Amino acid sequence: MAAQKKIIIITAPSGAGKTSVTKYLLSKICTLRFSVSATTRKPRSNEVDETDYYFITEDAFNKKIHEDAFIEWEMVYEGKYYGTFKSELERIWSNNTIPLLDIDVKGAIHVQNQFNSDCLTIFIEPPSVDELKKRLQSRGTESLENLQTRLNKAIFELSFKHQFNKIVINDDLQRACTETENIVSDFLSQ
Ligand code: 5GP
């Protein structure tokens, strides 16, 4: 049933706390399921294939583009592709659950344009660019060059925040999580 095919999207610049908010929502709202994206980037040491991402080669990714398998895809970072499979959303809906997407700003806008009112987009805003830099540094997963790339992209992405349904400022993670949970619960009860 089309009316049940809702989508929740959490988007934000890298380091704004999107992953923490996403994990919190998954633990609190039992009808949500994480939408596992495909990516051509290499797995980090703590990441599991088919749980965190479908880690695939660039050739396999291109093949999927030609098969029209993606609802959206982006080159999020230079040479690194990320995309949401249509089959992933269908799988989640077919279990009477609702996909929760953690995707970049451009991807979020694409999905929003396709699903309109069935889609809730929430932009997690960092309190400041300085704070974002600190968070990215403390994560320790990025080289200096990657860090600067992510920071530049973050500044660009912040300029799109008003295109989303809701903006949540992550000045305090617990508060931001609770605020987001309330927004999602309201949307799901409509
Ligand atoms: P990371 O490499 O840190 O896991 O993710 C980098 C960025 O790619 C994050 O902003 C993440 O939300 C985004 N991302 C993850 N999956 C997708 C996807 O399927 N589509 C798009 N457009 N972005 C994605």
Side-chain angles (χ1 to χ4, degrees):
M1 275 188 290
Q4 289 182 323
K5 290 192 166 183
K6 289 185 171 176
I7 298 187
I8 313 289
I9 302 183
I10 303 294
T11 191
S14 186
K18 186 171 39 157
T19 307
S20 305
V21 173
T22 301
K23 285 193 177 140
Y24 179 84
L25 290 176
L26 289 166
S27 74
K28 286 287 185 176
I29 305 180
C30 61
T31 48
L32 296 181
R33 291 290 177 279
F34 182 63
S35 164
V36 180
S37 295
T39 185
T40 63
R41 83 148 163 75
K42 297 273 171 284
R44 298 184 182 123
S45 58
N46 59 336
E47 288 178 327
V48 177
D49 189 28
E50 300 190 5
T51 299
D52 296 293
Y53 282 105
Y54 299 105
F55 292 101
I56 62 177
T57 63
E58 208 171 311
D59 279 351
F61 200 98
N62 280 327
K63 192 160 172 269
K64 292 291 184 186
I65 293 174
H66 288 113
E67 290 168 2
D68 197 24
F70 291 111
I71 204 93
E72 62 76 37
W73 63 269
E74 294 289 333
M75 187 174 78
V76 175
Y77 298 109
E78 192 58 39
K80 301 282 181 283
Y81 296 85
Y82 295 75
T84 307
F85 286 133
K86 291 176 182 171
S87 58
E88 182 71 4
L89 301 186
E90 291 299 343
R91 184 182 65 78
I92 295 172
W93 284 323
S94 71
N95 290 325
N96 283 323
T97 47
I98 295 151
L100 177 64
L101 280 62
D102 165 346
I103 62 177
D104 88 326
V105 164
K106 279 208 258 168
I109 292 171
H110 279 146
V111 180
Q112 179 168 256
N113 289 341
Q114 291 175 66
F115 288 89
N116 302 311
S117 61
D118 287 331
C119 174
L120 171 69
T121 50
I122 303 173
F123 184 91
I124 309 294
E125 183 177 0
S128 69
V129 172
D130 268 0
E131 179 59 31
L132 193 66
K133 189 173 179 183
K134 276 190 217 147
R135 289 181 192 175
L136 281 172
Q137 277 168 336
S138 70
R139 206 155 74 173
T141 52
E142 308 304 328
S143 67
L144 209 58
E145 192 189 338
N146 274 357
L147 186 93
Q148 197 52 52
T149 308
R150 282 178 185 246
L151 212 55
N152 291 343
K153 185 172 161 68
I155 292 164
F156 175 71
E157 289 184 323
L158 279 167
S159 67
F160 289 92
K161 67 179 182 181
H162 292 296
Q163 300 206 21
F164 300 105
N165 299 129
K166 301 280 179 189
I167 299 172
V168 172
I169 300 176
N170 182 10
D171 47 1
D172 173 273
L173 183 60
Q174 188 52 50
R175 197 205 54 74
C177 284
T178 313
E179 184 183 343
T180 311
E181 183 190 357
N182 290 338
I183 294 169
V184 173
S185 297
D186 274 0
F187 174 76
L188 293 181
S189 67
Q190 284 164 23

